[in-house]
Amino acid sequence: MKLMHEQIDFPGKSVVKVKVQEKESFTYPWHFHSEYEIVYVLEGLGTRFVADSIEEFSAGDFVLMASNLPHFWKNEVTNNRRNTKNLVKYIVLQFPNDFFRGALSDYPEFNRIKELLKRSERGVCFSKKFADKARKKVMKVAHSDGFDRLSYMLQLLQLMAKTKEYRLLGGQYYQLKGHNFTNDRLTKVMHYLNANYLKKIELKDVAAVAHMHPSAFCRYFKENSGKSLTEFINEIRIGYACRLLLEGKMTVSQICFECGFNNLSNFNRTFKKNTGYTPTLYFEEFQRK
């Protein structure tokens, strides 16, 4: 999975760029750009990748990301173009990394927004409850222009800055300052795992990506991620298994092998360890919601 540097153009040098999209899939693969970005999903299901975080998303997914933070959203694509259930609808708000730089540094009225933007270096995901509250503000930014758009954008950022209904996505080790997105050792490893987790992954191959001896790599990965390589790979695979289970198109046995596990008992045990449910109970529980 190649990391792409997206170049963003701001028409008329406007301070806020808005994209309101309804498509079969998200436009960009794994990428980064120098602008801050807010993504609000109106409709759709899939998987969200931000830094080293991999999670399922659905309608109401509301995320703020800092300048240069790698990310992408991936939804299921159908071959039936008339099936609107598989469309994804979302709003993207982007603003420059020097957005009100002087005001953020010098004026106390901007302190909360300044702290918010600092938090966004690891990606900030807001609760669905807060997303519902913020939706009107997001829509006002999206459907206004000129000074009104800028005014609504500041109001939205202040609202996001004041709430405690959020969590950070990137792990504590994921630091942006001085980060080289094309050459950093751990970033390369994460990209390799994200692209190959459905296949059989050998320790020696992952260690080779990092240019390390396997035993040294195991210590390095554990120290930097807080998880063993096996635990990390299993978490990615179980996330994908959850998505397949909720679709209801495959049996548990089929999902087991589709997600890279080589036997059903190991899959069931790992699934319950990560979710608290057996695959069958997971499907039944979420069918009731």
Side-chain angles (χ1 to χ4, degrees):
M1 187 184 298
K2 186 177 180 181
L3 180 63
M4 185 182 73
H5 185 185
E6 181 189 1
Q7 301 290 337
I8 296 175
D9 176 47
F10 284 76
K13 296 185 177 181
S14 175
V15 72
V16 180
K17 181 174 182 178
V18 174
K19 291 186 284 187
V20 181
Q21 306 280 10
E22 179 177 342
K23 296 185 174 183
E24 289 188 350
S25 63
F26 282 87
T27 305
Y28 283 93
W30 186 240
H31 69 287
F32 69 97
H33 42 72
S34 61
E35 293 73 20
Y36 287 91
E37 181 170 289
I38 295 171
V39 177
Y40 193 111
V41 178
L42 301 171
E43 294 182 24
L45 295 169
T47 305
R48 169 177 23 83
F49 298 73
V50 177
D52 60 329
S53 167
I54 303 173
E55 297 180 348
E56 300 304 299
F57 76 81
S58 59
D61 196 60
F62 186 30
V63 173
L64 167 66
M65 294 163 292
S67 169
N68 291 328
L69 187 65
H71 60 277
F72 82 105
W73 273 245
K74 180 180 180 182
N75 66 303
E76 294 298 318
V77 179
T78 177
N79 292 323
N80 182 1
R81 294 183 181 276
R82 295 181 180 178
N83 187 350
T84 58
K85 291 183 179 179
N86 289 282
L87 291 175
V88 61
K89 299 179 183 179
Y90 59 98
I91 294 175
V92 176
L93 309 177
Q94 297 168 326
F95 53 96
N97 59 6
D98 60 355
F99 182 75
F100 278 82
R101 181 176 291 170
L104 290 173
S105 300
D106 299 336
Y107 301 117
E109 290 84 356
F110 285 87
N111 282 350
R112 282 182 167 171
I113 293 178
K114 180 180 179 180
E115 292 170 0
L116 170 70
L117 297 182
K118 178 64 179 177
R119 288 196 294 271
S120 72
E121 291 181 357
R122 286 166 56 188
V124 182
C125 180
F126 298 90
S127 72
K128 292 292 179 68
K129 182 179 178 181
F130 176 75
D132 288 341
K133 296 177 185 176
R135 179 170 176 147
K136 286 185 179 179
K137 291 288 187 185
V138 173
M139 300 303 287
K140 284 184 176 180
V141 176
H143 297 295
S144 60
D145 54 24
F147 183 82
D148 286 341
R149 173 174 287 178
L150 175 58
S151 176
Y152 288 134
M153 187 68 191
L154 288 173
Q155 292 176 44
L156 174 61
L157 289 173
Q158 181 71 354
L159 185 67
M160 295 162 69
K162 290 170 66 176
T163 185
K164 294 182 179 179
E165 297 180 55
Y166 71 87
R167 56 191 172 81
L168 302 182
L169 294 174
Q172 291 184 0
Y173 73 90
Y174 204 98
Q175 300 298 322
L176 281 173
K177 190 174 181 180
H179 198 100
N180 186 321
F181 294 96
T182 56
N183 295 318
D184 180 76
R185 175 182 288 166
L186 194 57
T187 300
K188 284 185 176 182
V189 169
M190 294 302 182
H191 295 170
Y192 178 84
L193 296 177
N194 288 336
N196 295 283
Y197 67 91
L198 297 181
K199 306 173 185 176
K200 182 178 180 180
I201 296 178
E202 298 283 356
L203 171 61
K204 62 180 178 62
D205 295 330
V206 186
V209 172
H211 303 291
M212 298 178 72
H213 187 276
S215 59
F217 172 77
C218 286
R219 292 191 298 271
Y220 166 80
F221 191 84
K222 179 76 173 180
E223 289 171 359
N224 285 277
S225 71
K227 303 169 186 175
S228 70
L229 179 64
T230 299
E231 288 171 338
F232 186 85
I233 294 171
N234 282 343
E235 285 191 8
I236 303 175
R237 289 173 172 170
I238 294 302
Y240 182 53
C242 290
R243 178 74 175 93
L244 295 179
L245 278 168
L246 295 182
E247 286 182 352
K249 298 178 182 178
M250 301 172 68
T251 67
V252 171
S253 181
Q254 289 172 327
I255 291 172
C256 163
F257 294 102
E258 172 69 18
C259 294
F261 290 90
N262 54 19
N263 68 76
L264 189 57
S265 61
N266 182 40
F267 171 68
N268 287 332
R269 185 168 55 252
T270 305
F271 192 97
K272 187 170 185 180
K273 179 181 178 181
N274 281 269
T275 67
Y277 298 92
T278 65
T280 301
L281 286 176
Y282 180 89
F283 175 77
E284 292 174 351
E285 178 69 19
F286 284 88
Q287 283 294 101
R288 288 195 291 267
K289 293 186 177 181

